Every structure is written in C-alpha cells, then in structure tokens.
Amino acid sequence: MNSSGYNKMLNLIFSLPEQFELGLNIGFECGLIKPKVIENVVIAGMGGSAIGGDIVRTLSLQTGSLPVIVWRDYRLPQAVSPRTLFFAVSYSGNTEETLAAYREAKRCKSQVIAISSGGRLAQMAKHDGLPLLSVPTGMPPRAAIGLLTIPILVVLSRFGLYPDCKKGIRDTARLLGRRLHNWHKRAQRISRLLDGNLPIVYSTSRLLDVAAYRWQCQLNENAKVMCHIGQLPEQNHNEIMALSSPRFLAQKGVLIGLFDRTTHPRTIFRFRATLNLCKDAFSRFIFVNSEGRSALARLFSVMIIGDLVSVALAKRRGVDPMAIPKIDELKSMLASYRGKR
Ligand code: F6R
C-alpha cells in the first residue's frame, strides 16, 4: 500500500479543530424558523453520518431538555409526528435508508432539517423548500464527524433545546489541537498490541458508550478488522460468562477500557475484578482516560484516540484506511436493485 491513503486520513483527523469552527458557522448561519412546539428530536442517518446523532443523544441525556432518538433504517418509529424536529443526515446525500426516512418524515409533517454535502438529499431539500445545512464535500463521511455533529448541537441550542454550547465547542477544538500529536504517538503504540489480536473495547460510563461504538466502526472501516464492544457494569451480568470462548479466542483479546470521571467507583472495581476473573481471555489490557472539562471534550478525547489507533493499525496491516470497497460495491448493487424503496 502506498502511504497516501494513510496520510489523507491522518490529515483529516488532524483537521478536526477546524471542522469544529466551521460546524459552528454552519449551525449559526443557516436561516431557521423556530418551530412552535417540539416534543422530540429524531436524527436519521447511517454509518459515519449517524454517529454525530449518537453524540448529540448522549450529550442531551446529560443536559438537553428533550428525548433524542437516533434512527438507522428506512421506516420511522411511531414517535415521529408534526411535533418532531427531524434531522436527515447523509454526507453523500445518496444513502437510501436516510432518503426513505426523509420522505417519511415529510409525510408525517415533521419539522425537517437536512444535513449533507450534496446528492439527492440536498436536491430534495432545496426542491421541498426545507432547511439545508450544507457541509463541504470531498471527505469520507466518517472523517467529517465534526461537521456532522456540531451543527446539530448548535441548532438545538438555538431552539432552546440544549444549553449554549459555543464555549464548550471552542474549548474542545483547542484541546484536540493541543493533544492530537501526543494521542497519535500513543495510538501507534496501541496499534502494535492490537495487530493480530481481537480488540475488545469496554465503556465504563454511559457518556463513553458512543466512543466505544466509534472505536468499533473506525477499526472496521479504516483498519478492516473486527472489534467487539461492551459496556460495564452490564457486561458483568452476561458476557463475563463467555469470554475466551470459542477456544480460538483465548489470549487473543486486547482489552481496552474507556474511563471517564463519570465512571462509578464501583465500576472501576468491577473492571479490575473482571480482569482478574477472566485472565485467560486477554493478552493485554489498556486504560484510556478521557481528558478535558466539558462532556463534549471528554467524549471526543476518547473517541479520537480510537480514530488514530484505527489509522495506525491500517498502516501496520498494509491496508488503505480511505478505501471501503465492499461498502461501495454493496451500494451499487442496491442502486441497480429494483425492489421497493
Ligand atoms: C464512509 C462511512 C459510511 C457512510 C455510510 C452512509 O466513510 O463512514 O459509514 O457514512 O455508508 O453514507 P452517507 O454518510 O453518505 O449517508
């Protein structure tokens, strides 16, 4: 593999602080009329376009005033109504599940906002006279995580559904700017341990569940490896019985524990006790602690180390972190499939 894919993906990760600034502008500059009544928020998207929704949902659990549902499918949940603030997010603008969800939300007369860099979604939103938050084109969607997250937070805060978030966003961008180089070095060391093993990522606080999921998706798409995730304390009530089975998994797991200051002290004890009880399952274990003040900063600090690990592991394995041929191929197979949309 030549190193151009690796360098491109790495540069995109290092561009996150700028994405935050641009995301702020996109969120503040779009013309929006505040809906009179909003009962819930639904964010529809797939893959790299949906994870920003997960971040917003997680943060809203702590400080937002409404339930946020993240939706990854064609048909919408029953809770969608004219009182729903509905975000349809597709970076390419051409993801069929998201387009179907957009159409259904329109049929339900929800307050629809589209977020995209172009494609069908942008065309439809313009044609339908609905607000469109345009993000710059030319990146893999998963690398546009700042652009696909920050504008949603800003819109929610403009509508009074989320606290003022400008300072938290700028602080997070500064933290990333300061720490990315060190995290990159750490990620390279972690990638050495993961090579040839199964990464098992456990979140220990509900703030970090989405970070564990991001680790998984990035290891899948960038490094092209399987990754297993779980959550403590829940893991202690089921999965603990299954570690190192089937037998070929014994000593093949590298356990990565994600920790935050919201991790309960008894969950820290549980993590250590689990390690003691299940020594056979893991060849190594790694602690990743969140950094920063705000929940947004702490969440991104843990998530981005995972992004950097996935790119470093791609390099070790000689695979291109930018290329996702099977996803592309599947999308073209679906494009020529005439079944009902
Ligand atoms: C590609 C990626 C994928 C896409 C997903 C949906 O970088 O991360 O998970 O995000 O296939 O496509 P979009 O984001 O264009 O709606």
Side-chain angles (χ1 to χ4, degrees):
M1 186 206 48
N2 72 38
S3 55
S4 82
Y6 169 77
N7 290 333
K8 273 189 198 144
M9 192 56 96
L10 201 57
N11 286 337
L12 286 166
I13 298 174
F14 274 80
S15 79
L16 261 172
E18 288 108 76
Q19 287 193 31
F20 272 52
E21 198 51 46
L22 195 51
L24 269 172
N25 292 342
I26 293 169
F28 275 112
E29 279 165 15
C30 61
L32 293 172
I33 300 165
K34 185 179 172 195
K36 282 201 186 75
V37 196
I38 303 171
E39 272 172 4
N40 56 23
V41 178
V42 175
I43 304 170
M46 302 302 298
S49 288
I51 193 110
D54 289 329
I55 295 170
V56 172
R57 175 177 49 78
T58 301
L59 296 172
S60 291
L61 284 174
Q62 320 220 328
T63 41
S65 55
L66 280 184
V68 175
I69 298 169
V70 182
W71 198 252
R72 294 172 159 94
D73 204 351
Y74 296 87
R75 296 201 178 105
L76 292 180
Q78 196 57 34
V80 174
S81 76
R83 294 168 177 222
T84 295
L85 177 61
F86 186 91
F87 291 90
V89 189
S90 170
Y91 183 82
S92 64
N94 292 322
T95 298
E96 63 173 47
E97 299 93 315
T98 315
L99 295 177
Y102 167 94
R103 288 190 197 99
E104 207 165 306
K106 242 179 35 154
R107 269 197 300 277
C108 293
K109 303 200 182 333
S110 301
Q111 319 288 321
V112 178
I113 297 177
I115 304 185
S116 183
S117 70
R120 281 288 296 139
L121 182 60
Q123 281 169 4
M124 290 196 305
K126 282 181 197 152
H127 174 266
D128 298 334
L130 292 172
L132 169 68
L133 275 58
S134 292
V135 298
T137 172
M139 305 177 197
R142 62 193 179 282
I145 186 162
L147 294 170
L148 298 174
T149 305
I150 302 304
I152 306 180
L153 278 181
V154 172
V155 170
L156 292 185
S157 117
R158 281 175 64 184
F159 287 172
L161 304 173
Y162 190 81
D164 185 11
C165 54
K166 209 176 195 169
K167 183 173 178 317
I169 290 169
R170 292 229 161 99
D171 287 350
T172 306
R174 269 194 293 274
L175 175 80
L176 297 178
R178 261 197 329 271
R179 298 290 291 138
L180 271 163
H181 279 282
N182 281 342
W183 292 341
H184 182 215
K185 285 190 199 131
R186 179 157 192 225
Q188 285 168 314
R189 291 194 295 274
I190 296 176
S191 73
R192 214 175 307 136
L193 303 178
L194 296 188
D195 202 2
N197 288 312
L198 175 70
I200 300 179
V201 184
Y202 285 147
S203 55
T204 61
S205 142
R206 302 303 56 88
L207 176 75
L208 299 182
D209 291 349
V210 50
Y213 184 57
R214 173 74 173 182
W215 273 67
Q216 182 182 50
C217 296
Q218 292 290 77
L219 284 164
N220 295 160
E221 288 186 72
N222 292 344
K224 283 77 173 157
V225 294
M226 287 295 289
C227 167
H228 178 74
I229 60 173
Q231 301 164 353
L232 258 71
E234 177 66 10
Q235 185 271 9
N236 287 175
H237 300 272
N238 32 64
E239 190 175 282
I240 192 168
M241 293 304 302
L243 288 171
S244 73
S245 300
R247 203 177 282 282
F248 67 80
L249 284 176
Q251 290 297 321
K252 276 292 175 196
V254 173
L255 178 59
I256 299 152
L258 309 182
F259 290 86
D260 179 57
R261 65 171 193 238
T262 54
T263 300
H264 195 287
R266 290 191 67 82
T267 305
I268 298 176
F269 177 81
R270 280 174 179 279
F271 189 85
R272 291 185 192 281
T274 306
L275 272 177
N276 270 329
L277 280 172
C278 305
K279 285 195 196 80
D280 284 357
F282 310 114
S283 59
R284 299 295 284 257
F285 59 89
I286 298 161
F287 292 83
V288 176
N289 290 301
S290 65
E291 296 179 36
R293 286 164 65 91
S294 65
L296 181 71
R298 296 189 334 264
L299 180 45
F300 263 89
S301 70
V302 171
M303 229 164 43
I304 295 313
I305 296 181
D307 281 25
L308 291 163
V309 169
S310 71
V311 176
L313 185 58
K315 188 174 187 190
R316 294 189 74 81
R317 302 188 68 242
V319 297
D320 180 354
M322 295 288 283
I324 43 167
K326 288 207 176 96
I327 296 179
D328 295 339
E329 210 176 312
L330 192 70
K331 284 184 181 179
S332 36
M333 283 161 76
L334 278 154
S336 53
Y337 170 64
R338 296 260 158 258
K340 182 176 177 344
R341 297 214 171 192

